[in-house]
mmCIF file of all heavy atoms in Angstrom:
data_model
loop_
_atom_site.group_PDB
_atom_site.id
_atom_site.type_symbol
_atom_site.label_atom_id
_atom_site.label_comp_id
_atom_site.label_asym_id
_atom_site.label_seq_id
_atom_site.Cartn_x
_atom_site.Cartn_y
_atom_site.Cartn_z
ATOM 1 N N THR A 121 -16.685 30.543 53.692
ATOM 2 C CA THR A 121 -16.477 31.325 54.913
ATOM 3 C C THR A 121 -17.825 31.704 55.533
ATOM 4 O O THR A 121 -18.026 31.579 56.743
ATOM 5 C CB THR A 121 -15.671 32.603 54.596
ATOM 6 O OG1 THR A 121 -14.368 32.211 54.196
ATOM 7 C CG2 THR A 121 -15.578 33.528 55.798
ATOM 8 N N SER A 124 -19.535 28.870 57.238
ATOM 9 C CA SER A 124 -18.825 28.252 58.349
ATOM 10 C C SER A 124 -19.346 28.753 59.697
ATOM 11 O O SER A 124 -19.741 29.912 59.845
ATOM 12 C CB SER A 124 -17.336 28.564 58.211
ATOM 13 O OG SER A 124 -16.677 28.368 59.434
ATOM 14 N N ALA A 125 -19.306 27.863 60.709
ATOM 15 C CA ALA A 125 -19.701 28.250 62.070
ATOM 16 C C ALA A 125 -18.682 29.234 62.651
ATOM 17 O O ALA A 125 -19.022 30.094 63.454
ATOM 18 C CB ALA A 125 -19.812 27.012 62.942
ATOM 19 N N ASN A 126 -17.420 29.101 62.253
ATOM 20 C CA ASN A 126 -16.368 30.016 62.700
ATOM 21 C C ASN A 126 -15.736 30.668 61.477
ATOM 22 O O ASN A 126 -14.693 30.227 61.007
ATOM 23 C CB ASN A 126 -15.295 29.263 63.496
ATOM 24 C CG ASN A 126 -15.901 28.547 64.679
ATOM 25 O OD1 ASN A 126 -16.484 29.165 65.552
ATOM 26 N ND2 ASN A 126 -15.798 27.221 64.675
ATOM 27 N N PRO A 127 -16.396 31.701 60.955
ATOM 28 C CA PRO A 127 -15.941 32.242 59.670
ATOM 29 C C PRO A 127 -14.539 32.838 59.710
ATOM 30 O O PRO A 127 -13.854 32.821 58.693
ATOM 31 C CB PRO A 127 -16.987 33.303 59.320
ATOM 32 C CG PRO A 127 -17.823 33.487 60.539
ATOM 33 C CD PRO A 127 -17.625 32.330 61.455
ATOM 34 N N VAL A 128 -14.114 33.343 60.847
ATOM 35 C CA VAL A 128 -12.779 33.957 60.897
ATOM 36 C C VAL A 128 -11.972 33.357 62.042
ATOM 37 O O VAL A 128 -12.521 32.843 63.009
ATOM 38 C CB VAL A 128 -12.860 35.502 61.043
ATOM 39 C CG1 VAL A 128 -13.250 36.130 59.722
ATOM 40 C CG2 VAL A 128 -13.825 35.908 62.147
ATOM 41 N N ASP A 129 -10.634 33.432 61.928
ATOM 42 C CA ASP A 129 -9.733 32.913 62.969
ATOM 43 C C ASP A 129 -9.536 33.960 64.062
ATOM 44 O O ASP A 129 -9.437 33.635 65.229
ATOM 45 C CB ASP A 129 -8.360 32.569 62.369
ATOM 46 C CG ASP A 129 -8.448 31.418 61.382
ATOM 47 O OD1 ASP A 129 -9.369 30.600 61.515
ATOM 48 O OD2 ASP A 129 -7.591 31.354 60.475
ATOM 49 N N VAL A 130 -9.436 35.211 63.662
ATOM 50 C CA VAL A 130 -9.287 36.289 64.633
ATOM 51 C C VAL A 130 -10.546 37.145 64.550
ATOM 52 O O VAL A 130 -10.858 37.733 63.518
ATOM 53 C CB VAL A 130 -7.993 37.115 64.433
ATOM 54 C CG1 VAL A 130 -7.857 37.615 63.007
ATOM 55 C CG2 VAL A 130 -7.936 38.292 65.412
ATOM 56 N N VAL A 131 -11.325 37.131 65.637
ATOM 57 C CA VAL A 131 -12.611 37.826 65.655
ATOM 58 C C VAL A 131 -12.384 39.172 66.331
ATOM 59 O O VAL A 131 -12.168 39.231 67.544
ATOM 60 C CB VAL A 131 -13.663 37.027 66.447
ATOM 61 C CG1 VAL A 131 -15.025 37.710 66.360
ATOM 62 C CG2 VAL A 131 -13.753 35.608 65.925
ATOM 63 N N SER A 132 -12.420 40.242 65.509
ATOM 64 C CA SER A 132 -12.229 41.560 66.104
ATOM 65 C C SER A 132 -12.652 42.634 65.122
ATOM 66 O O SER A 132 -12.434 42.501 63.922
ATOM 67 C CB SER A 132 -10.759 41.764 66.476
ATOM 68 O OG SER A 132 -10.571 43.095 66.923
ATOM 69 N N TRP A 141 -2.278 40.141 64.311
ATOM 70 C CA TRP A 141 -2.538 38.698 64.367
ATOM 71 C C TRP A 141 -1.872 37.972 63.198
ATOM 72 O O TRP A 141 -1.427 36.838 63.326
ATOM 73 C CB TRP A 141 -4.052 38.443 64.373
ATOM 74 C CG TRP A 141 -4.409 36.987 64.477
ATOM 75 C CD1 TRP A 141 -4.515 36.250 65.617
ATOM 76 C CD2 TRP A 141 -4.679 36.091 63.391
ATOM 77 N NE1 TRP A 141 -4.838 34.947 65.312
ATOM 78 C CE2 TRP A 141 -4.946 34.822 63.954
ATOM 79 C CE3 TRP A 141 -4.718 36.241 62.002
ATOM 80 C CZ2 TRP A 141 -5.251 33.713 63.166
ATOM 81 C CZ3 TRP A 141 -5.016 35.135 61.214
ATOM 82 C CH2 TRP A 141 -5.280 33.895 61.804
ATOM 83 N N LEU A 163 -15.022 42.400 60.633
ATOM 84 C CA LEU A 163 -15.467 41.284 61.476
ATOM 85 C C LEU A 163 -14.298 40.423 61.928
ATOM 86 O O LEU A 163 -14.405 39.695 62.904
ATOM 87 C CB LEU A 163 -16.476 40.410 60.721
ATOM 88 C CG LEU A 163 -17.778 41.103 60.288
ATOM 89 C CD1 LEU A 163 -18.650 40.138 59.499
ATOM 90 C CD2 LEU A 163 -18.544 41.642 61.494
ATOM 91 N N GLY A 164 -13.200 40.474 61.176
ATOM 92 C CA GLY A 164 -12.030 39.686 61.546
ATOM 93 C C GLY A 164 -11.260 39.220 60.330
ATOM 94 O O GLY A 164 -11.485 39.709 59.214
ATOM 95 N N GLY A 165 -10.364 38.261 60.553
ATOM 96 C CA GLY A 165 -9.534 37.769 59.449
ATOM 97 C C GLY A 165 -9.202 36.313 59.633
ATOM 98 O O GLY A 165 -9.384 35.748 60.712
ATOM 99 N N LYS A 166 -8.773 35.689 58.560
ATOM 100 C CA LYS A 166 -8.322 34.304 58.665
ATOM 101 C C LYS A 166 -7.177 34.060 57.705
ATOM 102 O O LYS A 166 -7.039 34.744 56.687
ATOM 103 C CB LYS A 166 -9.480 33.335 58.417
ATOM 104 C CG LYS A 166 -9.870 33.177 56.965
ATOM 105 C CD LYS A 166 -11.238 32.562 56.816
ATOM 106 C CE LYS A 166 -11.174 31.051 56.932
ATOM 107 N NZ LYS A 166 -12.466 30.445 56.508
ATOM 108 N N LEU A 167 -6.371 33.066 58.084
ATOM 109 C CA LEU A 167 -5.266 32.641 57.232
ATOM 110 C C LEU A 167 -5.823 31.634 56.237
ATOM 111 O O LEU A 167 -6.513 30.697 56.631
ATOM 112 C CB LEU A 167 -4.206 31.984 58.120
ATOM 113 C CG LEU A 167 -2.847 31.709 57.507
ATOM 114 C CD1 LEU A 167 -2.130 33.026 57.220
ATOM 115 C CD2 LEU A 167 -2.002 30.868 58.479
ATOM 116 N N GLN A 177 -7.350 36.513 54.350
ATOM 117 C CA GLN A 177 -8.735 36.838 54.009
ATOM 118 C C GLN A 177 -9.291 37.680 55.146
ATOM 119 O O GLN A 177 -9.197 37.309 56.322
ATOM 120 C CB GLN A 177 -9.578 35.567 53.848
ATOM 121 C CG GLN A 177 -11.050 35.870 53.512
ATOM 122 C CD GLN A 177 -11.895 34.610 53.373
ATOM 123 O OE1 GLN A 177 -11.421 33.506 53.608
ATOM 124 N NE2 GLN A 177 -13.145 34.800 52.996
ATOM 125 N N LEU A 178 -9.872 38.820 54.803
ATOM 126 C CA LEU A 178 -10.483 39.705 55.794
ATOM 127 C C LEU A 178 -11.973 39.713 55.534
ATOM 128 O O LEU A 178 -12.403 39.661 54.382
ATOM 129 C CB LEU A 178 -9.910 41.117 55.649
ATOM 130 C CG LEU A 178 -8.391 41.136 55.803
ATOM 131 C CD1 LEU A 178 -7.794 42.313 55.075
ATOM 132 C CD2 LEU A 178 -8.019 41.141 57.276
ATOM 133 N N LEU A 179 -12.726 39.754 56.613
ATOM 134 C CA LEU A 179 -14.182 39.737 56.451
ATOM 135 C C LEU A 179 -14.764 41.026 57.015
ATOM 136 O O LEU A 179 -14.416 41.437 58.135
ATOM 137 C CB LEU A 179 -14.765 38.507 57.158
ATOM 138 C CG LEU A 179 -16.236 38.201 56.846
ATOM 139 C CD1 LEU A 179 -16.436 37.871 55.372
ATOM 140 C CD2 LEU A 179 -16.724 37.047 57.720
ATOM 141 N N PHE A 180 -15.614 41.659 56.222
ATOM 142 C CA PHE A 180 -16.274 42.904 56.611
ATOM 143 C C PHE A 180 -17.780 42.709 56.514
ATOM 144 O O PHE A 180 -18.254 41.841 55.781
ATOM 145 C CB PHE A 180 -15.868 44.048 55.673
ATOM 146 C CG PHE A 180 -14.405 44.375 55.699
ATOM 147 C CD1 PHE A 180 -13.507 43.680 54.902
ATOM 148 C CD2 PHE A 180 -13.916 45.403 56.510
ATOM 149 C CE1 PHE A 180 -12.153 43.992 54.919
ATOM 150 C CE2 PHE A 180 -12.565 45.717 56.531
ATOM 151 C CZ PHE A 180 -11.681 45.016 55.735
#
Side-chain angles (χ1 to χ4, degrees):
T121 294
S124 161
N126 303 300
V128 285
D129 294 334
V130 53
V131 185
S132 174
W141 182 85
L163 299 177
K166 77 197 278 192
L167 192 68
Q177 179 181 5
L178 302 154
L179 192 63
F180 297 86

